Structure formats: structure tokens, C-alpha cells
Amino acid sequence: MQPHIVFDDASWTLQLLDQRRLPQESIWITCNTVAQLVDAIQTMVVRGAPAIGVAAAYGCALACRQVASQDHWRTSLKPLLETLAAARPTAVNLRWAVERVAQAVATAPNPHTAAALALAEARTIHEEDIGMCQAMGHFGAALLPDSCTVLTHCNAGALATGGYGTALGVIRAAVAMGKQVRVLADETRPLWQGARLTAYELACDGIPVEVLCEGAAASLMARGEVQAVIVGADRIAANGDTANKIGTLGIAVLAHHFGIPFYVAAPSSTFDLATASGAAIPIEERDAKEVTCPCSTAIVPQGVGARNPAFDVTPAGLLTAIITERGVLYPPLEEAITAVLGGRP
Ligand code: MRU
């Protein structure tokens, strides 16, 4: 996959491949300001926990330039960074990235230096994210049988990260090792990240993929057609409870019922050790129109509403293991997380 988040220093703009238009069209959106980037994050031009963290890190560089002409630039910078960090509530990578860049510019003597430092830190975060995905791929690939069908939910691929992917990174690495991996991609309503983005990425790489309509997983699992499930994560609490795209919990319950390994692949930036359990993870509730009016076509009778929670929480007890860039964590997960990530970044 080509890069989908690109910062252009010459024009000091952030270029984002518009994921809402994929796979039909490759259209790029330009962000000059924090407000434009917040809108791009909220409307899912860029989405996926690590990817919105990377984009927001570059957004901090935009923010520094925006306040450059102001006398009290540091005072003006603070609310801009807070707006960025709060653009979506569930993926912890977003706030993590903004706080990391804020720290990097904390002692800058002027806004121009702050902007340069912010850009350098954003580039480091971006490169590190790709490196973490590759390391997860290395650890996760070893867990898969030589020939298998893997089910995944949503898109946890290159498009959802700085590049390479978490769950799809594991699949890419397994294929690179010579394993025969076929993928079943849940379509992932209401925004079709599986049908549109996971299928697109894997097809581009020549990895066999078929899309499943929502609800088909149980019957294929019952027939023995799935050997493993791998998903990404938006936030993992200290006890291992994992927030991910709505529908993940149902897949985890099914995997448990049918005795199929259920893996979460996530970098250390997705762990939130300050949150004790999944009960405290904020869950984004999005516009009901995404459910009632998919692809701009009204399918629900007028006057009937919809619920649209964007994420659910899978209890740690349903996870076989968490694949991180530092190794594979096995239950008891709370102890494993503290041991491996206790002093994290
Ligand atoms: O609403 P989205 O598309 O941003 O949700 C994305 C997911 O739930 C992904 O599975 C998660 O961010 C992991 S991405 C490596």
C-alpha cells in the first residue's frame, strides 16, 4: 500500500487519502488547519486508532503554525491541541499522540521552533507506528497454522495505521513467511470498513479475501471454516478489556463458543493503563443516519430512529492473546500487560 497520510513541508499541509471514497476513487484531502483535520477525523476521511493518532500528531504541527503570529501563542495553542485530542473519544492513540507532541514542544522558545519540533516528533511517531506493525506481524504470524482461514472485523490494516496494519499486518507477515492464509472480512456495518477497505487492501496485495455479510460468521465457524480470528483495537484497558469496532464482541463470543483462537493485535500506544477496565472506556455514539441512510439511501421507514454505537468492549476473558510489538501477551492479561507495558512509552 502507498502512504495514505503525507505531510508536505513545502506547503505546510497534511494530505489525507479520503477513505470514505475507497475503493471507488483515490481522492486526497488537504488540511491546512486544525479545524479541517478535526472534521476529517470526525467524518472518517482518516480512521483507525493508530492512523488518527499519526494524523493528529501532524495536526499539532499545523496548530503551531496557526498560532505563530499571536503574542501569547502558547496560550492559544493549548485549546487547539485539546480540540484535536477530543476529535473522537474511543481510540486512545489520538490523545496519546497529541500529548506526546505537546511534550516535545513544551520548552520551545517560539512558535516556529515549536512547529519544527512538532513535525519532527510527528514523523517519528509515524515511522515508529509502521515499525510496531511490522514487529506485531513478526510475533503474530508465528501463531497461525501453515494453512488457515482467518476472520477479521472492520479494517485494521495499513489504512488504519501509519502503514502495514495491526491485524492485517499479522496476515501480511504470515503470507510473507509462506503460509497459505485466506481471509474472511466482515463487511462491518454501518460504514463498511471491512467490505470496502480490508477487501481493497488485501486484494491489492494479492491475498485471498472474501467479504462476509454481517451475521454470517456464526454459520461459517460452526462448519469449521474459520481457524482464527484477528482484530485490531481502539483502546485496551489495564485489565485487557478491549474496545474495538462494534460487532467485535459478538465475534469474540462466537469464537469462544466454537473454540476458535481470538487474537487482538495492537501497539503499545493503544493501551490505556490509567483505565482499569472496559466499563470506563468512552464509547462513541455516531449519527443515526449512518444506519438509517447507508450510502445516502434511506432504508428505514421515516420517523424510525436507530442506535449507532461505533465500538463495543470485549472482556479480557474472551481473548486468547494480545499481539503487541513487544511480544505476545497471554492470560492472565492484567499481569502480562503490567509486566510488558507497565513502564510504557
Ligand atoms: O471507526 P473506525 O473505522 O475508526 O474504527 C476502527 C477500528 O475499530 C479498528 O479495528 C481499530 O481502530 C484498530 S485499527 C489498527
Side-chain angles (χ1 to χ4, degrees):
M1 285 272 326
Q2 295 300 305
H4 63 100
I5 302 172
V6 176
F7 195 90
D8 180 39
D9 326 35
S11 58
W12 205 263
T13 58
L14 181 62
Q15 315 283 334
L16 300 170
L17 179 62
D18 189 346
Q19 298 194 30
R20 300 168 304 180
R21 312 284 281 268
L22 290 172
Q24 281 79 15
E25 296 175 301
S26 291
I27 307 269
W28 288 79
I29 299 272
T30 299
C31 297
N32 298 289
T33 64
V34 166
Q36 287 168 342
L37 177 56
V38 166
D39 182 65
I41 290 171
Q42 291 176 339
T43 59
M44 317 276 273
V45 169
V46 59
R47 34 67 48 201
I52 59 177
V54 169
Y58 286 119
C60 297
L62 296 179
C64 293
R65 273 283 173 97
Q66 257 179 268
V67 299
S69 60
Q70 298 179 21
D71 289 342
H72 302 288
W73 64 275
R74 207 171 266 294
T75 313
S76 310
L77 184 61
K78 223 174 158 202
L80 273 185
L81 297 189
E82 179 50 35
T83 312
L84 249 186
R88 289 187 76 189
T90 304
V92 75
N93 310 60
L94 178 57
R95 184 167 291 278
W96 169 85
V98 172
E99 285 176 359
R100 182 165 152 182
V101 179
Q103 184 73 29
V105 306
T107 55
N110 58 58
H112 299 288
T113 307
L117 289 171
L119 179 56
E121 190 68 8
R123 290 220 153 101
T124 304
I125 287 173
H126 195 167
E127 279 162 26
E128 281 178 10
D129 188 68
I130 297 171
M132 290 193 289
C133 287
Q134 288 166 341
M136 274 180 266
H138 166 77
F139 289 119
L143 302 172
L144 296 180
D146 286 345
S147 176
C148 59
T149 297
V150 174
L151 187 143
T152 189
H153 190 72
C154 194
N155 170 264
L159 290 164
T161 60
Y164 200 69
T166 57
L168 297 195
V170 170
I171 290 165
R172 286 192 164 100
V175 170
M177 279 170 70
K179 297 192 176 189
Q180 307 287 314
V181 184
R182 292 165 301 281
V183 179
L184 294 172
D186 274 343
E187 60 186 2
T188 316
R189 291 184 193 183
L191 296 179
W192 318 95
Q193 289 95 328
R196 296 185 302 105
L197 307 176
T198 295
Y200 170 72
E201 277 195 32
L202 294 176
C204 286
D205 280 7
I207 298 174
V209 57
E210 290 171 301
V211 173
L212 289 187
C213 74
E214 221 84 313
S219 117
L220 294 186
M221 287 180 176
R223 285 195 242 149
E225 293 192 32
V226 178
Q227 281 71 55
V229 177
I230 312 179
V231 297
D234 283 80
R235 189 187 296 228
I236 302 176
N239 71 345
D241 290 353
T242 296
N244 192 48
K245 179 53 56 194
I246 191 77
T248 303
L249 171 59
I251 300 294
V253 171
L254 288 172
H256 183 73
H257 177 79
F258 290 110
I260 297 166
F262 181 92
Y263 300 113
V264 171
S268 48
S269 51
T270 301
F271 287 77
D272 177 7
L273 302 190
T275 295
S277 76
I281 296 177
I283 299 295
E284 177 182 11
E285 183 109 14
R286 293 182 61 84
D287 193 334
K289 279 209 187 84
E290 290 178 351
V291 178
T292 59
C293 214
C295 309
S296 308
T297 304
I299 59 163
V300 168
Q302 228 181 351
V304 175
R307 292 292 306 275
N308 191 13
F311 301 95
D312 56 28
V313 175
T314 300
L318 292 178
L319 272 54
T320 305
I322 305 178
I323 302 158
T324 77
E325 81 279 11
R326 302 186 191 177
V328 180
L329 312 185
Y330 292 98
L333 286 172
E334 185 148 17
E335 284 86 333
I337 290 169
T338 310
V340 176
L341 297 156
R344 70 136 220 186

